[in-house]
């Protein structure tokens, strides 16, 4: 569909479906290229997941060296690298500054807006988008294409069809469906023979069969300063060890340290039904020091007060030892010291995708050209979390969503030319 611009020339219209960060960035690139950008979203307002991301501190990107940054996209690094080359983490920060929002680098290297919030950034962005002529159409749920090939939407006024010269799909992944990204686009594209890798939870929690006693006492407790080793020798890889913190949940475990390991753990569970990790409750203590302290005479003290006074272990850490170490091993100081440094935990399943921070899987890169246009549907481009990649938390998700949105928008401009 074309419309007249100020000089009376016909100008192209592009439909962007999905008003998350990827879709809005595509709209920005398209408006800058002089086409009419119309954003359609099923929800009453755009950027709902983006706003949620701001609740715990909006982590925009990461300041680590570029090679390390790229490596976070794992096996999809070759596909994500060209997108990031056009919109680097540094360019992202400049873009945020251009919206009048300052950023800072936290002690971990993560980049945040100075006030840590998403709402002022989204407000400023939407204001600028509207000024450049981007139109937002809320409560427009995309239903697919009509027989004639026009876009079909469910709206409060009933079903409507829309003609556009090109389309950008930025429909999000499969987590937190109540914020809009409900993955109902999957069958719509599968019907069109678009290859889609199954959506799976990413940056997710895991289930552990806690006893009722442990669950009722410790669900919600944080384990701070622990390390997890994931054994990978059976698949010919060195063991991977990370330090951080996580939370005990009624069903198992979640939190930043778990998310960082979640892709490998999820794949391990898919392959063999479970995943083993080893928990180091005192990562800054060498094993020998733990042995020395545990084997000191205990006198009349209980094991709990002995561990607390000699090693500072208490609360949920002692609870975990009680939960996981056999009574006979608990009475053997040497075995107990080894358990404190390498407590085995069996993960039974990933938590459901709807609870995850993000999802893996989606439209495969093989089905798109370098501009992110679907080979099977010329004129239809894809961007954001609905593409088949995943990354840990740390700002890598938003960075790739924004970069791919920009790449899709620029891809449309090239294609229309
Ligand atoms: C709790 C939480 C915290 C997070 N924190 C961070 C963080 O700090 N840093 C970071 O980098 N990432 C973070 N993320 C991840 C990040 O928010 C997402 O990766 C990002 O929002 C995905 O962007 P997107 O544009 O691809 O999709 P989305 O933001 O999911 O947007 C997709 C849009 O498409 C619309 N839509 C879907 N289907 C249809 C349809 N059929 N018709 C019309 N519209 C449709 C939806 O309503 C939605 O508005 C967090 C996620 C969560 C859940």
């Amino acid at each position: 569909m074309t419309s007249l611009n100020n000089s009376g020339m016909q100008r192209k219209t592009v439909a962007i479906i999905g008003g998350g960060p990827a879709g809005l960035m595509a709209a920005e690139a398209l408006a800058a290229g002089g086409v009419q950008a119309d954003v359609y979203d099923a929800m009453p307002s755009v950027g709902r997941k983006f706003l949620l991301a701001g609740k715990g501190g909006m982590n925009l990107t990461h300041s680590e060296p570029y090679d390390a940054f790229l490596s976070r996209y794992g096996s999809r690094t070759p596909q994500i690298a060209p997108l990031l080359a056009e919109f680097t983490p540094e360019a992202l920060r400049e873009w945020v500054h251009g919206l009048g929002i300052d950023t800072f680098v936290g002690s971990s290297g993560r980049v945040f807006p100075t006030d840590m919030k998403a709402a002022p950034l989204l407000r400023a962005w939407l204001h600028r988008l509207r000024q450049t002529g981007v139109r937002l159409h809320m409560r427009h749920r995309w239903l697919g294409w009509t027989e004639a090939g026009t876009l079909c939407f469910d709206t409060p006024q009933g079903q409507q069809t829309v003609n556009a010269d090109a389309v950008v799909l930025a429909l999000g992944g499969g987590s937190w469906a109540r914020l809009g990204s409900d993955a109902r686009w999957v069958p719509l594209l599968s019907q069109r023979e678009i290859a889609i890798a199954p959506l799976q939870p990413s940056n997710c929690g895991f289930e552990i069969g806690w006893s009722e006693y442990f669950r009722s006492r410790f669900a919600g407790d944080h384990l701070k300063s622990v390390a997890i080793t994931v054994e990978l020798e059976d698949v010919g890889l060195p063991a991977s060890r990370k330090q951080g913190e996580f939370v005990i949940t009624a069903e198992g475990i979640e939190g930043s340290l778990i998310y960082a390991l979640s892709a490998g753990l999820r794949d391990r569970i898919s392959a063999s039904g479970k995943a083993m990790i080893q928990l180091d409750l005192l990562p800054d203590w060498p094993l020998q020091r733990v042995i020395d302290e545990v084997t000191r005479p205990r006198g009349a003290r209980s094991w709990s007060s002995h561990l607390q006074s000699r090693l500072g272990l208490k609360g949920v850490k002692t609870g975990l030892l009680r939960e996981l170490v056999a009574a006979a091993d608990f009475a053997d100081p040497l075995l107990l010291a080894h358990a404190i440094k390498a407590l085995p935990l069996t993960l039974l399943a990933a938590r459901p995708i709807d609870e995850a921070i993000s999802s893996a899987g989606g439209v495969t890169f093989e089905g798109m050209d370098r501009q992110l246009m679907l080979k099977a549907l010329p004129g239809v481009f894809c961007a954001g979390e609905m593409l088949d990649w995943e990354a840990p938390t740390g700002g890598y998700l938003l960075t790739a969503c924004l970069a791919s949105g920009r790449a899709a928008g620029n891809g449309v401009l090239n294609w229309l030319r």
Side-chain angles (χ1 to χ4, degrees):
M1 196 176 82
T2 47
S3 59
L4 294 184
N5 64 17
N6 287 344
S7 53
M9 304 275 288
Q10 285 199 325
R11 79 175 176 150
K12 305 279 184 189
T13 298
V14 179
I16 300 107
I17 311 178
L24 294 178
M25 188 52 106
E28 179 167 294
L30 287 160
V35 304
Q36 175 59 54
D38 281 300
V39 177
Y40 298 86
D41 200 292
M43 300 300 281
S45 58
V46 293
R48 293 196 163 204
K49 193 179 267 188
F50 185 74
L51 288 174
L52 177 76
K55 284 225 164 126
M58 156 121 302
N59 183 191
L60 293 162
T61 189
H62 205 290
S63 64
E64 69 190 344
Y66 193 51
D67 282 352
F69 190 100
L70 283 180
S71 72
R72 307 295 171 183
Y73 299 93
S75 63
R76 295 295 179 278
T77 299
Q79 288 80 22
I80 298 290
L83 310 176
L84 294 181
E86 301 298 318
F87 194 63
T88 61
E90 198 46 48
L92 188 156
R93 283 186 79 181
E94 278 164 28
W95 173 80
V96 173
H97 298 160
L99 288 166
I101 308 283
D102 279 338
T103 58
F104 75 98
V105 180
S107 53
S108 59
R110 294 174 180 221
V111 177
F112 301 91
T114 306
D115 64 1
M116 303 289 279
K117 295 183 184 148
L121 199 164
L122 184 62
R123 228 178 0 254
W125 192 11
L126 289 176
H127 178 69
R128 193 169 75 184
L129 287 172
R130 286 198 181 95
Q131 279 187 326
T132 55
V134 173
R135 297 188 297 212
L136 304 180
H137 307 266
M138 295 298 97
R139 295 190 167 93
H140 277 61
R141 167 167 292 283
W142 178 57
L143 302 174
W145 289 271
T146 63
E147 297 260 311
T150 51
L151 297 165
C152 185
F153 292 93
D154 186 21
T155 79
Q157 288 75 43
Q159 281 199 11
Q160 291 189 1
T161 55
V162 168
N163 263 312
D165 295 297
V167 178
V168 176
L169 300 176
L171 300 160
S175 77
W176 288 74
R178 62 187 174 281
L179 301 179
S181 48
D182 56 13
R184 279 157 69 181
W185 54 266
V186 171
L188 301 179
L189 292 188
S190 300
Q191 284 157 15
R192 295 278 176 143
E193 318 267 295
I194 307 298
I196 297 165
L199 297 190
Q200 301 187 72
S202 184
N203 295 302
C204 57
F206 289 89
E207 293 178 9
I208 293 173
W210 298 132
S211 68
E212 192 44 48
Y213 173 81
F214 183 80
R215 173 185 296 125
S216 62
R217 275 193 82 141
F218 296 109
D221 279 19
H222 288 246
L223 272 132
K224 294 207 168 135
S225 195
V226 289
I228 290 179
T229 303
V230 184
E231 298 295 343
L232 297 167
E233 274 123 26
D234 56 329
V235 286
L237 293 169
S240 146
R241 180 180 161 96
K242 281 191 194 298
Q243 196 165 329
E245 58 182 77
F246 67 89
V247 184
I248 302 291
T249 64
E251 299 82 15
I253 50 177
E254 67 177 26
S256 54
L257 179 57
I258 306 305
Y259 300 157
L261 297 163
S262 64
L265 294 172
R266 177 202 63 215
D267 291 348
R268 172 60 58 88
I269 293 171
S270 298
S272 52
K274 62 180 182 190
M276 299 288 291
I277 60 174
Q278 284 183 352
L279 190 56
D280 184 346
L281 296 172
L282 291 171
D284 300 326
W285 291 50
L287 174 63
Q288 191 53 53
R289 189 171 159 211
V290 176
I291 294 173
D292 292 347
E293 294 300 329
V294 174
T295 49
R296 279 182 201 275
R298 178 160 68 95
R301 277 187 310 207
S302 68
W303 268 113
S304 295
S305 51
H306 183 62
L307 293 180
Q308 181 165 356
S309 67
R310 304 271 22 139
L311 299 154
L313 283 179
K314 58 182 178 176
V316 62
K317 286 190 175 177
T318 314
L320 264 176
L321 287 169
R322 285 279 176 208
E323 172 80 356
L324 297 164
V325 177
D329 291 359
F330 216 94
D332 180 329
L334 204 56
L335 288 177
L336 183 57
H338 276 95
I340 289 167
K341 290 296 290 172
L343 189 61
L345 260 177
T346 305
L347 314 190
L348 304 173
R351 288 295 297 159
I353 191 168
D354 197 46
E355 291 176 16
I357 297 286
S358 58
S359 55
V363 175
T364 63
F365 282 91
E366 292 70 28
M368 294 179 291
D369 67 13
R370 290 174 67 86
Q371 317 245 45
L372 303 182
M373 184 171 82
L374 292 170
K375 290 175 187 164
L377 292 176
V380 180
F381 295 69
C382 295
E385 208 182 299
M386 71 181 291
L387 304 183
D388 179 23
W389 58 277
E390 67 179 314
T393 57
Y396 309 104
L397 297 166
L398 277 177
T399 307
C401 286
L402 291 166
S404 63
R406 175 167 288 213
N410 287 332
V412 171
L413 293 174
N414 287 337
W415 186 74
L416 290 175
R417 273 181 214 129

